[in-house]
Amino acid sequence: MYKVASASEYLVITGVGITDVKLAKKAWILPGQSCTVFDVSPVNYTFEVQAMSAEKLPFVLPAVFTIGPRLEDELSLQRYAKLISPHDKLSHHVKELVQGVIEGETRVLAASMTMEEIFRGTKEFKQEVFEKVQLELNQFGLLIYNANVKQLVDVPGHEYFSYLGQKTQMEAANQAKVDVAEARMKGEIGAKLRDGQTLQNAAKIDAETKIISTQRQGEGKKEEIKVKTEVKVYENQREAEVAEANAELAKKKAGWTKQAQVAEVEAAKAVALREAELQREVERMNALTRTEKLKAEFLSKASVDYETKVQEANWELYKKQKAAEAILYEREKEASAKKAIAEAEFYARQQAADGEFYAKKKEAEGLIALGQAQGIYLRTLLDSLGGNYAALRDYLMINGGMFQDIAKINAEAVRGLQPKISIWTNGNGGRDDNGAAGISSSGAMKEVAGVYRMLPPLFKTVQEQTGMLPPPWMGALTDSSNS
C-alpha cells in the first residue's frame, strides 16, 4: 500500500526491515509493516504558573507557549514520533507533560530571585525561563516556537504587586501635584513680573516723554511740579499695585506651600499606613510562629506521652498475647493428645472391626466350603443311588437319626401322662397252664406282628409332622388305617 502524508504531517513506519522507526513523507507500506500518521503543526498551551520568590512571596505567572516538534532535527523528530505522537497534542497527558516542565523550571528559577529582581528584570527572567524549559523539552523532541509571558499577578492574600503599584501611583500623583504647583507658581510669578516691568517701562517712558515735552515746550515751574506730582502719584500707585501683587503672590505661595505640606502629610500618612500594615503582618507572622512553636512543643509532649502509652499498651497486649498463646498451646496439646487417643481408640476399634470382619469372612468362607463339600457329598450319594431323590431323602433321614428323634419327641410328649395301653390278642396264648400271664414260645412272632402293627400309626405321625410318605417297599398309608 502506498501512502502520502500532507504538508503538516509525517509518516512513521515500523516493522519488517526497519530497525527502529522510519520517518517519511511518502512510502510503500510492505506486508509486516505498520504505518502511523502524526501532525507536526505547533499548538498553543496556556498556563498560569504559580511560583514563589526567595522571600517566600507567591505570585502567578500567566504564560502562553506555542510548542511543536523540532522539524530541522531528524533525531528530535524521531523522539517526538515515539514519545508524543501516540497521544493527541491537546490531550490531558501532553498538556500535563508540558505544564510540568514549565512549572518546575519556573519555580526553581523564581526561588533563587527576589521579588524586586523578578519585577525589575522581567525580560531577563522570561528569557532564562524559556532557555531552561527548552532544555527540558529537547528530550521530547519539542521546540518553543513562541512564548508570551503576561504581567505578573498577585496570589489572593499576598497583594505585593498591587501594593507596589499603589505606592508608585501615589508617588507619581504626589510628584505631579508638586510639579503642577511649581509650574503654576512660576507662571503666575512670571506673569506678574512681566506686567510690572511693562508698567514700569511705560511709566518711565511716559515720564521721560513728559519731561522732554516740558523742557521742549518751556513750560514753567508749575507744570514741571505738576508733572512730577503726577509722576509721583503714578509711581505710588504702581508701588501699591506691586505691593498688592507681592501680597497676592505671597498668599498664593502660602497656599501652594500648604498644598505641598498636605501632600507630604498624606504621603507620610500613606507610608505610615503601609508600614503599619506591614508591621501588623509581621506581628501576625510572629504570632503564628509562636503559635506553631507552642503547638510543636505541646505536640511533641503529647507525642511522647502517646508513644509511651502506646508502648505500655503494646507491652500489655504482648503479655496478654503470650498468655493467650500459652493457653492456646496447652489447649492445642490437650486437643492433640485427645486426638491421638481418639485416633488410637478408632484404630483399635477399626482393628477389632477388621478382625471381626475377617472372622465373619472366614466363617462365611468355611460355610461356603462346607456347603460345597456337602453338595459334593449329596451329589455323590445321589449318583450312587441312581438319581433316586426319594431314596436319598430316606437315607439321609435314617442316617441322621430323624426317626429316632421323632420317636423320642413323641415319647417325651406323652411322658408323665401314664396312658392306659390295651393289648388285644386272638386268644389267651399269653397265659401258661397255671393261668399266669406271660409269653409263650409262639408269642415271639406275635410281638413282631405287634411291632408291625405299630408302624402305620408311626408313619401317619411322620407324614403329618413332616409331610413325607414312607417308601413304597414299606407299604402305603390309607385314610382307613387302624391304630
Side-chain angles (χ1 to χ4, degrees), residues 3 10-13 34-38 85:
K3 284 195 173 184
Y10 269 87
L11 302 178
V12 55
I13 307 171
S34 175
C35 176
T36 304
V37 180
F38 66 92
S85 64

Side-chain angles (χ1 to χ4, degrees), residues 328-353:
L328 178 62
Y329 179 76
E330 292 180 358
R331 292 183 179 178
E332 286 181 352
K333 288 298 183 181
E334 292 178 358
S336 299
K338 292 180 180 180
K339 182 179 179 181
I341 295 172
E343 289 178 352
E345 291 179 355
F346 175 75
Y347 180 77
R349 291 178 182 177
Q350 186 177 11
Q351 292 298 322

